[in-house]
Amino acid sequence: MVINRRTFLALPVCAVLAVAAFAQQSSITPESLRVWLTYLSSDELEGRATFSEGLGLAAAYIAEQLKEAGVKPGGDRGTYFQRVEVLGIKSTNRSTVTVEVNGQKRTFKDGEGITFPRNVGGKRTLTLNEIEFAGYGLDLDANYNDYKDLDVKGKLVVWLGARGPHGTDPQQARRLLGGRPSFAIEEMGAAATITPAIESGGQRRGAAPNAPDFTTVRRLDSLVPPSITANDDFFEFLFSGSDLKYEDLKSKAEQQEDLPKFSLKDVSVTFNIDADYQVVNTRYTRNVVGIVEGTDPELKDTYVAFGAHYDHVGYLQTPLRPGQTDRIYNGADDDGSGTTALIGIARAFAQGPKTKRSLLFVWHTGEEIGLYGSKYFADHPTVPIDKIVTQLNMDMIGRNKDNKASESNTVYPVGSDRISSELHKILIDANASLPTPLTFNYQLNEPTDPERVYYRSDHYSYAAKGIPIIFFTTNLHSDYHRVTDSVEKIEFDKMARITQLVYETGRRVANLDHGPVRDFKGAHLAVGTTAR
Ligand SMILES: [Zn+2]
């Protein structure tokens, strides 16, 4: 892939000079970003895989830049590092579901007609009397939405169909079908979900006796909304009191015909969550954490958090194919760009004007293999989690989407309006204050985004705790997760401007006398694309 030189030339010279002048005030410059990223994405770091020597070198390098600029350690015992324990867990699951229809009761055990996920969280009993049949359980687009006029908050949601309704793009449907439980719970606020088991399923694969059932960095006593799969026998009983019988609904779903939506009357479902967990494997990795203290005696105990992930996917360990010469995934954009921007922001705050609130900088580990660093931090924070008023996350902010020159001014903010409308307004104002404001494209913030980006990067670990977040990215390109994601393709001028935007947004929040108001209105403001 050739670097897109036209992008740079397309910017008016005056704009470039104005950016440089503004950026210098806070020491966030294309030149310094280039220096840090050139090292972090070099072959020497071997692609920064989690649990690798390359990632260790990156951690030490970041800590060095923090120390030199006077950013304080925010990790364990006065260090810049927070140890992240990645646990392999064997579970003994005795969970059951009891269904009561018109006074008749049946109990189903895990593995006998129903299947729980391996990690069901902490022990508890959850009875739900409000049960909605949501057709296919899909929100495809403006033309097809099973959740239209359907309120499932705090309820149990059930759906059918392995292919979605007639006429939907099979590729899109396939992707969304697998995401139905998380869509219902995370996006729509459901308390639990039941999905029909896929016909061929049922028996679990036999594994080595001490092989972990799952890997986690989370607390095992957290309450997890139940999401189970169930067979025909279960569904027949569940629908036995309804006017519409399961058999008919199932055959409609198989024919991809329209499905009705209705509440199941006189039915209650009790989830009895009961599992024991045994740690059979422990591995260590680390987050890098820095703090710049605030100046206000009262507000300094509260934090604006900034984050990026400094891990990547490592290097090819298998023999190179003929013609292949490179085995190292440099991850310059993913997420060397966010990592480097975060160094710039931390140093700018440490060396420049101070804010009223304190500032927390976390370089997350293990993002590529399951958001380990951010999940761990959210469950084991080094500052009180309820004192974090906002989290700003950056992942891949150094390129143009699909290498298009038309994208040279565009950034994709995600989530800014979902928890706090006020935070969204602060973002807009911060952008307007830049010498050359960026163009915002909110496409990835749409609730129907098939990639469900809002739920898939480190910021979500914070959002799930109710913390207002903004995720910044310049979106994907053809070098994504390839050995060709390298430093010479980074658009450093654009990246410096995005870094400046994140700095400025964070600065404004850090000087507010109150945390951004959490009104939880969902994605309703950040839509479409802003004009310049
Ligand atoms: Zn990434």
Short mmCIF file of all heavy atoms in Angstrom, two decimals, residues 309 334-335 367-368 395-396, ligand 1:
data_model
loop_
_atom_site.label_atom_id
_atom_site.label_comp_id
_atom_site.label_asym_id
_atom_site.label_seq_id
_atom_site.Cartn_x
_atom_site.Cartn_y
_atom_site.Cartn_z
N HIS A 309 -5.01 0.98 24.07
CA HIS A 309 -4.41 -0.32 24.36
C HIS A 309 -3.03 -0.39 23.71
O HIS A 309 -2.86 0.01 22.57
CB HIS A 309 -5.31 -1.48 23.95
CG HIS A 309 -5.44 -1.76 22.48
ND1 HIS A 309 -4.57 -2.59 21.80
CD2 HIS A 309 -6.34 -1.36 21.56
CE1 HIS A 309 -4.95 -2.68 20.54
NE2 HIS A 309 -6.01 -1.93 20.36
N ASP A 334 -2.89 0.34 15.07
CA ASP A 334 -3.65 -0.48 16.04
C ASP A 334 -2.73 -1.06 17.10
O ASP A 334 -2.13 -2.09 16.89
CB ASP A 334 -4.37 -1.60 15.28
CG ASP A 334 -5.29 -2.39 16.17
OD1 ASP A 334 -5.52 -1.97 17.32
OD2 ASP A 334 -5.78 -3.43 15.73
N ASP A 335 -2.67 -0.51 18.25
CA ASP A 335 -3.11 0.80 18.62
C ASP A 335 -1.90 1.60 19.07
O ASP A 335 -1.91 2.28 20.09
CB ASP A 335 -4.17 0.69 19.73
CG ASP A 335 -4.77 2.05 20.11
OD1 ASP A 335 -4.69 2.98 19.30
OD2 ASP A 335 -5.27 2.18 21.22
N GLU A 367 -6.02 -6.10 25.00
CA GLU A 367 -7.27 -5.72 24.31
C GLU A 367 -7.57 -6.68 23.18
O GLU A 367 -8.70 -7.12 23.00
CB GLU A 367 -7.15 -4.28 23.77
CG GLU A 367 -8.47 -3.68 23.30
CD GLU A 367 -8.79 -3.92 21.83
OE1 GLU A 367 -7.94 -4.46 21.10
OE2 GLU A 367 -9.90 -3.58 21.40
N GLU A 368 -6.52 -7.02 22.44
CA GLU A 368 -6.71 -7.84 21.23
C GLU A 368 -7.20 -9.25 21.55
O GLU A 368 -7.75 -9.92 20.70
CB GLU A 368 -5.39 -7.93 20.45
CG GLU A 368 -4.83 -6.58 19.99
CD GLU A 368 -5.52 -6.04 18.74
OE1 GLU A 368 -6.54 -6.62 18.32
OE2 GLU A 368 -5.05 -5.03 18.21
N ASP A 395 -8.44 4.28 19.83
CA ASP A 395 -7.92 3.06 19.20
C ASP A 395 -7.94 3.26 17.69
O ASP A 395 -9.00 3.43 17.11
CB ASP A 395 -8.79 1.85 19.60
CG ASP A 395 -8.14 0.52 19.20
OD1 ASP A 395 -7.07 0.54 18.55
OD2 ASP A 395 -8.72 -0.53 19.55
N MET A 396 -6.77 3.26 17.08
CA MET A 396 -6.61 3.49 15.64
C MET A 396 -7.07 4.90 15.27
O MET A 396 -8.15 5.10 14.74
CB MET A 396 -7.39 2.43 14.83
CG MET A 396 -6.91 1.02 15.12
SD MET A 396 -7.82 -0.24 14.19
CE MET A 396 -7.19 0.05 12.52
ZN ZN B 1 -7.12 -1.92 18.53
#
